[in-house]
Amino acid sequence: MQLLSTHKCFGGQLGYYKHAASSTACDMRFTVFVPPGASANNKRRAVMFLSGLTCTEENFTTKAGAYRVAAELGLVIIAPDTSPRGASVPAGEGGEVGFGAGFYVNATNDPWAAHYRMESYIADELVNLILAEFPIASIGLCGHSMGGHGALTLFQKHPGKFRSLSAFAPICAASQSSWSNKA
């Protein structure tokens, strides 16, 4: 795991990270806000925020304004990227498939199956990395739009792994929507 940058934020620290992810066969990026007072001896609860279509790990960080409240509550916030990216990763066309549109599922068809394994990445690889590297006792899931879809499906498919679930305006019937035929 490589620390890209850190910023002091409401008494805590916001870090930008990347690591070589085996599940997606490329580098993945994420942010972690650690509130003041968190340590190996004082582990905190965390919320992983799954963003929507066309977003990156920065959308929540720059738009939500949640870190002041997270600092007051002693809450860690994790914001992963929404999809794999890189020269070897198929980008897709439009915003429904490809970069920014990983849907938090494991793709089964080529050319997507080699890299778009977001379910495995989020539920297994990233959770394990986060729990090993940060002072976290448990992780809840939260998401918006496509991220709401991801939060709902990951929470149901991995019982007991996540402590809580929140979904804001989730995509609940992606297979029945005309724009999602590509996905």
Side-chain angles (χ1 to χ4, degrees):
M1 179 174 76
Q2 179 184 355
L3 175 63
L4 301 173
S5 66
T6 60
H7 309 277
K8 292 205 178 280
C9 186
F10 297 103
Q13 180 175 297
L14 175 62
Y16 288 73
Y17 302 88
K18 79 174 182 177
H19 71 111
S22 59
S23 55
T24 61
C26 66
D27 285 346
M28 293 296 293
R29 297 171 65 109
F30 61 94
T31 65
V32 178
F33 171 75
V34 178
S39 69
N41 294 326
N42 190 14
K43 293 186 177 187
R44 303 300 178 96
R45 292 183 178 164
V47 170
M48 183 180 295
F49 185 85
L50 305 179
S51 290
L53 281 170
T54 72
C55 293
T56 70
E57 74 284 357
E58 290 190 88
N59 286 76
F60 184 84
T61 296
T62 59
K63 295 179 181 178
Y67 298 127
R68 179 186 56 81
V69 174
E72 291 170 6
L73 297 173
L75 184 66
V76 174
I77 298 179
I78 306 149
D81 198 350
T82 56
S83 69
R85 299 174 197 268
S88 65
V89 179
E93 293 179 24
E96 299 89 17
V97 168
F99 291 171
F103 278 88
Y104 305 102
V105 298
N106 287 341
T108 57
N109 295 338
D110 290 331
W112 316 106
H115 298 284
Y116 287 83
R117 303 194 43 78
M118 292 301 290
E119 176 184 345
S120 293
Y121 175 68
I122 297 292
D124 296 321
E125 190 168 0
L126 185 59
V127 164
N128 291 337
L129 176 66
I130 293 291
L131 290 172
E133 297 291 330
F134 296 93
I136 294 174
S138 63
I139 299 175
L141 277 177
C142 179
H144 170 254
S145 191
M146 178 188 72
H149 171 272
L152 291 170
T153 59
L154 292 172
F155 189 84
Q156 291 177 36
K157 290 174 88 173
H158 299 274
K161 181 161 278 204
F162 301 102
R163 183 172 178 93
S164 64
L165 168 66
S166 299
F168 300 98
I171 297 172
C172 292
S175 65
Q176 297 174 11
S177 176
S178 60
W179 60 262
S180 66
N181 287 335
K182 287 186 208 175

